[in-house]
Structures are given as structure tokens and as C-alpha cells.
Amino acid sequence: MINITVVMMRLLPTGVLLASAAISFGAPVQQATNPASGETRVVARTQRGDGFLLHVGQEVHLKFARDINPKKVDEGDPVEFVLEENLMVDDVVVAKAGSRAYGEVIGAKRSSMMGKGGELSIRIDYLMASGNKVRLRATSEAKEDTKSTDIIKRNKSIEQGESIVVYVAEEIRLPPTETN
């Protein structure tokens, strides 16, 4: 959607009407009017034309979309998550609660008969936001061993709705959602 907002209108001494306009492509804009001059100006949010910047390490709150039992899953099985709360940048929603995130089971050891619990390892991959893949990781800081940065390990089953906090793995610009 293209919005054209008149910024300032002024009559020049020659009788010519001077108008300035701001054009935005779906970007959220606020208007402020100066009562003394009647001038309307655009107050732009901190964004570039290509969206709002999600920073590396920003927290993302997810919950598991289904139960995961180490006895019933195999390596390579997909894991689905749901975004628990809106993901925000500068008070603007860039991913709505309920958006889907995806990962994969990378290890599942069944519990032994000797009472030793099973082990479940899940790699967190990405969150889908406005048609973009936002890469995620399980730790807030990158480590030298990149294999350990995107793994969630558990020694028990995971219940649907269980919450986890993961982190943005690389900077990405996202447009605001359609209904902020």
C-alpha cells in the first residue's frame, strides 16, 4: 500500500501553492500539526525503507506446538513452535503472536530399562515473520562451536505449550505487520 502524506502547504508571494509530500510504502507514519502555522509534518519511526531491524541476541518467546516424547520421535523429525507474544521493534509489531517457528529433532535417546532417562536434542532453526525466515538460536551469545548454539537439550518429554526463550541469530529487517 502506498501512502502519500502532505507535509507542508504554503502560498508563495507569486500565488503559487507549494506542497511537499512524503511517500511511504506501507511504513507506519504519525502526523503532527503545528497549530500556529497549520503545518503538518510526518514523524517517521526509526526505520529504513526496507523495514525494522531485529538485532542479534534479541529474545524470542516461543512455546512448543505439540508434545515431544523421546520414545516416539526420531532424528530428523520436524519440531514446530508458536510465537508466544508479539515480536516488537521500536514499539512496532514485526511478528504476531501465533506465528510459527521451526526446528528439528537431532537426537532422541530412549530411556533405558535401568532407570536412566531419555535424552532429547532439538535444533531451533527459524521463525516465519512477514514471509521472512528469522534465524534463531538457543543461546543469547554465539559460541565458537556453532553446533552448540542452536540446540535445546532435555532429559525428559516436552509438553505442548511449554515455553522457551530463544534468540535472534542474525540481524534482519522486517516490515511491520499489517495490523499493529
Side-chain angles (χ1 to χ4, degrees), residues 63 80-86 95-101 127:
K63 57 186 175 183
E80 192 170 349
F81 305 88
V82 177
L83 186 60
E84 201 166 23
E85 55 190 40
N86 289 339
K96 292 181 187 178
S99 297
R100 297 295 178 165
L127 167 73

Side-chain angles (χ1 to χ4, degrees), residues 18-84:
L18 176 67
S20 300
I23 300 174
S24 66
F25 298 88
V29 229
Q30 296 175 335
Q31 293 183 355
T33 303
N34 181 345
S37 67
E39 175 184 302
T40 302
R41 62 185 173 87
V42 173
V43 180
R45 298 228 170 127
T46 56
Q47 81 160 90
R48 290 191 343 207
D50 53 351
F52 292 86
L53 182 64
L54 269 176
H55 293 283
V56 172
Q58 182 170 340
E59 284 188 3
V60 178
H61 297 262
L62 300 175
K63 57 186 175 183
F64 286 88
R66 65 177 176 91
D67 292 343
I68 303 173
N69 185 330
K71 296 177 184 177
K72 297 179 181 178
V73 295
D74 293 310
E75 191 171 312
D77 283 355
V79 177
E80 192 170 349
F81 305 88
V82 177
L83 186 60
E84 201 166 23

